[in-house]
Amino acid sequence: MLQFILDILSVPAILVGLISMIGLIALKKSGADIIKGTVKTILGFLILGGGAGIVVDALSSFGAMFQEGFNINGVVPHNEAIVAMALKTYGTQTALIMAFGMVVNILIARFTSLKYIFLTGHHTLYMACMIASILVVGGVEGVLLVIIGSLLLGFIMAVFPAIAQPTMRKITGGDEVAFGHFSTVGYVLSAWIGSLVGNKEKTTEDINFPQGLSFLRDSSLAVSLVMLVLYLIVAFASGPAYVEKELSGGQHFIVFSILQAITFAGGVYIILAGVRLVLAEIIPAFSGIATTLVPDAKPAIDCPVVYPYAPNAVLIGFLSSFVGGVVGMLVLLMIDRSIPGLPIILPGVVPHFFCGATAGVFGNATGGLKGAISGAFVQGLLITFLPVLLMPVLGDLGFANTTFSDADFGVVGILLGNALQFFR
């Protein structure tokens, strides 16, 4: 039964589809409308997930070429990898914390002013897993572990969307949708940095390209060309022999780079299409829940929900965050000379894409182009240094060559781990 619950709640498409179905039933829609809304919501999330999968696959080869070309070994933050390891040991605790944590989230939304229901199922799973791991390492067991973990998870699921909502109103121009992705601290920091250094009136979406470069207004084409330059750099750095032997299956390394760059852009295009489909269905359906179970509740949705509002900021944010990750890595390498054994956090391309792109949109909302660049850069530094401080509180998981990547995992994990040390 626990495995069945975990399978349902950890699949965002099914979770959000169920939410949509409940909302449509609450609105007393016809059977045909309920089926259509539910299926289209699930379809939108599957499209979104498919696009994300394409992006991740394209970026995995980029990351491999980067490590090979620049000969740097270290820890690569990757949520899926660390969770897969942790679930082997903490699977039951994770399932219980996740299930009851979602109940706590609904109760908080129902009876407090935090009217946010967190719908990003896979991030809920990841956070539940990290909380379970740290509680076990801290000596908490049994029922107490589930109670503490569930209360903490439910609280986090309600608070972080509330923190992001002021900027979300600026991004979306409304208050119907909330933000549900556990790197909120980084995004809010990006928005704050943007407000200090930039001008929101000079947005990334108003970039004036020369007449000969007007074709770059097509965001898909712009992403393809920028990524092609990056892929060619790391391909030449790692060498044709490595690319063709280890990655491309014998395909010429330049042809492989071109295809991977365009594949990446295709994945981004698919993500945007999935977001639009989900929003078209989930917002009307969610009003049914808001008017019955949780008055005035807002759905907190995964980070690609903001991408359509500033497509140029998505690419700018990714590049700025990645540069921040490289700078952070170089700083750690210098510090390592004085503190041997310090974990060297390599710039994981996947977190820098999703988190950096989102940070770019948040920074753009408050500071325009300068805000997107500087805010995403600082966010890139943040997700480089936080994992260094997080790894010691993860117990045996801290010795793995990967760790949790996004900012909120670092903040929550560091605070929880040190609090447990204080009370022991």
Side-chain angles (χ1 to χ4, degrees), residues 175-416:
D175 205 28
E176 295 83 10
V177 179
F179 186 83
H181 188 264
F182 284 134
S183 199
T184 307
V185 171
Y187 306 143
V188 173
L189 175 63
S190 177
W192 180 69
I193 294 292
S195 69
L196 295 179
V197 304
N199 180 357
K200 66 180 180 180
E201 302 303 325
K202 297 181 179 180
T203 173
T204 56
E205 308 314 297
D206 291 336
I207 295 176
N208 291 317
F209 293 101
Q211 189 63 34
L213 298 177
S214 60
F215 62 92
L216 290 176
R217 289 186 179 276
D218 185 321
S219 60
S220 297
L221 186 56
V223 170
S224 298
L225 294 178
V226 171
M227 291 307 298
L228 175 59
V229 172
L230 295 179
Y231 270 98
L232 288 176
I233 290 173
V234 296
F236 277 106
S238 59
Y242 172 78
V243 176
E244 293 169 10
K245 182 179 179 180
E246 302 294 334
L247 300 175
S248 71
Q251 188 177 57
H252 194 280
F253 78 105
I254 292 180
V255 175
F256 177 75
S257 299
I258 293 171
L259 291 177
Q260 289 299 299
I262 298 175
T263 298
F264 175 91
V268 174
Y269 182 89
I270 293 171
I271 287 173
L272 298 180
V275 168
R276 293 187 185 101
L277 185 58
V278 169
L279 289 180
E281 300 298 329
I282 193 67
I283 293 176
F286 201 83
S287 65
I289 299 174
T291 55
T292 53
L293 299 178
V294 188
D296 302 322
K298 298 177 180 64
I301 302 177
D302 202 357
C303 63
V305 71
V306 301
Y307 293 176
Y309 294 98
N312 289 346
V314 169
L315 179 59
I316 291 169
F318 162 51
L319 296 176
S320 297
S321 179
F322 189 77
V323 171
V326 172
V327 171
M329 176 190 69
L330 295 176
V331 171
L332 289 174
L333 286 170
M334 289 188 290
I335 296 175
D336 184 58
R337 297 176 181 176
S338 302
I339 311 176
L342 186 75
I344 304 301
I345 305 299
L346 302 183
V349 186
V350 173
H352 280 292
F353 170 70
F354 287 104
C355 297
T358 310
V361 177
F362 271 67
N364 177 64
T366 58
L369 176 60
K370 290 183 179 179
I373 294 172
S374 56
F377 177 82
V378 173
Q379 189 274 158
L381 291 175
L382 186 69
I383 63 173
T384 301
F385 292 116
L386 279 178
V388 175
L389 302 176
L390 174 64
M391 291 176 71
V393 305
L394 291 175
D396 292 340
L397 286 175
F399 297 101
N401 62 349
T402 187
T403 187
F404 292 94
S405 59
D406 302 352
D408 294 350
F409 293 101
V411 171
V412 172
I414 292 166
L415 292 176
L416 177 60

Side-chain angles (χ1 to χ4, degrees), residues 98-111:
M98 182 175 181
F100 289 111
M102 294 181 72
V103 173
V104 172
N105 178 207
I106 293 172
L107 292 174
I108 289 174
R110 176 66 180 84
F111 296 108

